[in-house]
Amino acid sequence: MLIDVWWNAMVTRGEQLEFLGRIVMALVCRVGASHGISHDTARWVCGSKESSFSMKSTSWDGRRTMPGLGLAGMMTKGGSKHGSRLVVAVSPPMEDAVVAAEPLTKEDLVSYLASGCKPKEKWRIGTEHEKFGFEINTLRPMKYEQIADLLNGIAERFDWDKIMEGEYIIGLKQGKQSISLEPGGQFELSGAPLETLHQTCAEVNSHLYQVKAVAEEMGIGFLGVGFQPKWGIPDIPIMPKGRYDIMRNYMPKVGTLGLDMMFRTCTVQVNLDFSSEADMIRKFRAGLAMQPIATALFANSPFTEGKPNDYLSMRSHIWTDTDKARTGMLPFVFDDSFGFEQYVDYALDVPMYFVYRKKKYFDCSGSSFRDFMEGKLPALPGEFPTLTDWENHLTTIFPEVRLKRYLEMRGADGGPWRRLCALPAFWVGLLYDEVSLQNVLELTADWTEEERLMLRNKVPKTGLNTPFRDGFLKHVAEDVLKLAKDGLERRGYKEVGFLNAVDEVVRTGVTPAEKLLELYHGKWGQSVDPVFEELLY
């Protein structure tokens, strides 16, 4: 009965079929030739460097998709004014539906990444954005109880399914979209993978409309900015999610700004596909080289606890002293030997945070996934990982560009809705058009590791006015923006207009943060309170 309910709860017949496909893939990968399956067949199904076969999840984050849900994550029906409603009775991360017949190998981990390869006609655009909720009358951050009421209200009014962790509601899901909570209650939309920027922007607008419709009745507003401008960490509520307790205890051991990252930052990121290992490498390198330009164009976090903080993107700066083992510009991506296997080698040695077993988080902070592969986790001796453990581990690595079964561009501050549409336009124009991508690679081919690191470290403070070679980053950004526009033109979807929000930034060299600082020193009379109205969604 339980399996029937869970199976029927899948959104489409396609998801059911894909789930079966994932079981087959997992069995072939893990059983292999010892059970009569040829080496070539196993390599083709599991995904090799040469294969473009894709078993990609139906969502950008496999932790959030029903096909990846373990049997432990049972689904129940709960009544509502809209009739029966699905309640996902376990929160991400979820346990594997298939128990490994034998321990995972490094080749399995490589194949997992390679399984993201897909032909160009199946490339999609995924956008994720975070925002700060606040009480309109006091400007104070939302408490968890208010967030729970908001989530319940959105679920009831707009027919979203609830995601629970124990007795706490900690997210929502509707089709391939999900709403989740960051450690300090930052409200995140993880959008569906969509074909065009028009669809992406419509999704953002629909989400903001739904949130605003419920939040306004509660006296709640939402702020589009990269760093909490007014309140300190003690003022920020802590969300009731087990993984965040582990992270909160571990962060101060490895950096001075990790808690600021958890509780006081908001970002926008764009998730993009690749067709092959070679295509992944090209996009990864272009993404890393261009990330400081994106950071400058969208810099929007100049205030801390009511005063200017000497940065244009405090959010970006915070990542430089959060945890050096899992952040940064990944210089090895530019090595001739780089590929899926080299990223796996890197990720295997990034310290873990947790393992999720039997609806409980086990603190594994400081241990490596390589230890886990050998059954040597002190917290779970003799326990071996599943592919879902690997999938979860990859989400705890935070470089400027992150590889899963797609690439995540992670360098931009949160901002108002027009810039939420402009960021995916910027990256799609550069990376989804072969001519523009090649031009970016040629433009940056002779940039040294030291120059890339210099830009990454200085741009949060000086933005487009960062000196670079015989000029300023502004001059590079002018060329890059033209490449993005040309790339969008060649796509043929009339998407160039989405870059209007950054046109003026590039033309003048004045970032959004510098405009906020001008208002602070002028019209606002050195108060940050007006920013809650200026950047209100």
Side-chain angles (χ1 to χ4, degrees):
M1 176 64 181
L2 170 60
I3 293 176
D4 288 341
V5 171
W6 170 67
W7 178 259
N8 291 331
M10 290 186 182
V11 176
T12 66
R13 178 67 172 167
E15 287 191 346
Q16 294 175 341
L17 293 173
E18 179 167 19
F19 173 70
L20 289 174
R22 289 182 68 171
I23 291 178
V24 171
M25 181 178 75
L27 290 174
V28 171
C29 288
R30 296 172 190 177
V31 175
S34 63
H35 285 68
I37 299 173
S38 74
H39 176 73
D40 289 343
T41 300
R43 278 174 59 83
W44 183 81
V45 173
C46 300
S48 69
K49 288 187 178 183
E50 296 81 16
S51 171
S52 63
F53 179 76
S54 172
M55 291 299 295
K56 188 169 176 62
S57 158
T58 56
S59 164
W60 285 105
D61 190 337
R63 295 177 298 120
R64 296 180 179 134
T65 64
M66 292 181 184
L69 181 63
L71 290 174
M74 76 170 101
M75 299 179 182
T76 60
K77 296 287 182 179
S80 78
K81 65 184 179 182
H82 292 289
S84 64
R85 167 163 282 103
L86 187 68
V87 177
V88 183
V90 63
S91 75
M94 302 174 193
E95 297 177 77
D96 265 346
V98 180
V99 177
E102 56 189 63
L104 290 177
T105 66
K106 179 180 169 182
E107 288 71 28
D108 293 326
L109 309 185
V110 173
S111 294
Y112 172 85
L113 295 179
S115 71
C117 298
K118 52 170 58 175
K120 185 171 183 176
E121 62 268 20
K122 292 187 177 180
W123 290 356
R124 297 294 182 264
I125 307 160
T127 304
E128 303 181 20
H129 80 269
E130 302 161 358
K131 49 202 168 292
F132 293 109
F134 65 95
E135 299 173 350
I136 291 174
N137 289 338
T138 67
L139 305 184
R140 298 192 70 85
M142 293 174 67
K143 305 177 185 69
Y144 171 72
E145 293 73 20
Q146 293 169 308
I147 292 172
D149 288 344
L150 177 61
L151 289 171
N152 281 313
I154 294 171
E156 296 300 318
R157 189 175 303 187
F158 298 105
D159 204 29
W160 288 70
D161 301 322
K162 301 175 185 180
I163 301 174
M164 309 296 293
E165 183 164 314
E167 63 189 47
Y168 298 104
I169 183 170
I170 51 87
L172 301 173
K173 179 173 175 60
Q174 186 181 78
K176 297 175 185 179
Q177 301 177 78
S178 65
I179 295 172
S180 59
L181 302 178
E182 292 299 301
Q186 302 97 315
F187 216 69
E188 178 180 4
L189 172 71
S190 295
L194 300 169
E195 291 187 53
T196 73
L197 293 166
H198 298 284
Q199 294 170 346
T200 295
C201 203
E203 177 188 64
V204 168
N205 289 339
S206 174
H207 168 73
L208 293 176
Y209 165 77
Q210 292 182 11
V211 171
K212 189 173 180 179
V214 179
E216 279 188 341
E217 297 172 1
M218 301 171 56
I220 297 295
F222 279 91
L223 180 66
V225 71
F227 189 79
Q228 167 58 247
K230 185 175 177 69
W231 305 102
I233 291 177
D235 301 305
I236 310 294
I238 297 172
M239 296 300 101
K241 296 178 72 171
R243 65 186 291 172
Y244 294 156
D245 290 336
I246 294 170
M247 292 173 66
R248 192 171 74 250
N249 293 329
Y250 181 69
M251 285 292 180
K253 300 175 184 178
V254 292
T256 65
L257 299 175
L259 296 182
D260 287 295
M261 180 278 291
M262 290 181 66
F263 294 103
R264 296 204 286 179
T265 62
C266 278
T267 188
V268 187
Q269 72 178 47
V270 178
N271 304 328
L272 299 173
D273 288 313
F274 43 80
S275 61
S276 64
E277 183 171 52
D279 187 46
M280 178 277 293
I281 294 168
R282 285 158 55 81
K283 287 173 177 169
F284 208 148
R285 290 173 177 169
L288 283 171
M290 292 291 100
Q291 213 62 223
I293 293 178
T295 298
L297 293 178
F298 294 87
N300 194 41
S301 48
F303 304 119
T304 299
E305 296 180 25
K307 298 186 181 304
N309 53 33
D310 294 328
Y311 288 89
L312 302 178
S313 177
M314 172 56 82
R315 182 208 60 82
S316 181
H317 169 67
I318 279 170
W319 282 110
T320 65
D321 196 13
T322 291
D323 183 349
K324 295 189 187 304
R326 69 184 74 242
T327 61
M329 291 289 280
L330 305 188
F332 64 87
V333 172
F334 294 86
D335 292 346
D336 291 341
S337 62
F338 178 69
F340 290 126
E341 183 176 357
Q342 287 68 34
Y343 194 85
V344 167
D345 285 332
Y346 159 71
L348 280 172
D349 292 320
V350 171
M352 297 176 65
Y353 284 145
F354 61 82
V355 172
Y356 191 71
R357 288 288 185 275
K358 299 177 182 178
K359 300 184 182 181
K360 179 181 177 183
Y361 290 88
F362 289 84
D363 187 344
C364 301
S365 54
S367 299
S368 73
F369 205 88
R370 200 179 296 276
D371 296 334
F372 198 6
M373 296 278 285
E374 297 172 359
K376 295 179 180 178
L377 284 185
L380 289 167
E383 185 85 11
F384 291 92
T386 66
L387 276 178
T388 296
D389 292 319
W390 176 240
E391 190 171 29
N392 293 332
H393 178 57
L394 293 176
T395 70
T396 67
I397 302 172
F398 308 121
E400 294 296 288
V401 177
R402 178 164 65 185
L403 176 62
K404 297 183 191 173
R405 287 183 291 182
Y406 47 89
L407 286 166
E408 299 178 348
M409 305 295 126
R410 298 172 43 83
D413 284 358
W417 77 266
R418 287 188 183 278
R419 294 207 291 274
L420 299 183
C421 301
L423 185 70
F426 178 77
W427 286 116
V428 167
L430 293 179
L431 302 187
Y432 269 11
D433 175 74
E434 181 59 34
V435 175
S436 289
L437 175 57
Q438 181 61 31
N439 284 333
V440 168
L441 292 170
E442 291 174 2
L443 173 68
T444 60
D446 66 343
W447 291 12
T448 66
E449 177 183 336
E450 291 73 23
E451 286 176 319
R452 292 192 300 268
L453 185 60
M454 178 276 293
L455 289 174
R456 193 269 168 268
N457 290 334
K458 290 190 175 181
V459 160
K461 198 175 189 71
T462 51
L464 292 173
N465 291 315
T466 302
F468 185 68
R469 296 192 171 180
D470 57 352
F472 293 91
L473 191 62
K474 174 184 182 295
H475 304 129
V476 182
E478 290 170 349
D479 294 335
V480 169
L481 182 61
K482 185 179 187 308
L483 293 178
K485 288 181 176 181
D486 290 346
L488 292 179
E489 285 281 7
R490 282 187 287 269
R491 272 170 57 83
Y493 293 119
K494 300 186 185 301
E495 298 167 317
V496 177
F498 292 113
L499 286 174
N500 290 346
V502 294
D503 256 336
E504 184 184 1
V505 178
V506 173
R507 180 176 55 80
T508 63
V510 178
T511 65
E514 288 164 297
K515 286 193 170 185
L516 294 177
L517 287 167
E518 182 181 345
L519 288 168
Y520 172 86
H521 289 294
K523 181 180 176 182
W524 294 354
Q526 298 191 345
S527 169
V528 299
D529 289 2
V531 79
F532 287 84
E533 182 175 352
E534 180 75 20
L535 297 180
L536 177 72
Y537 284 114

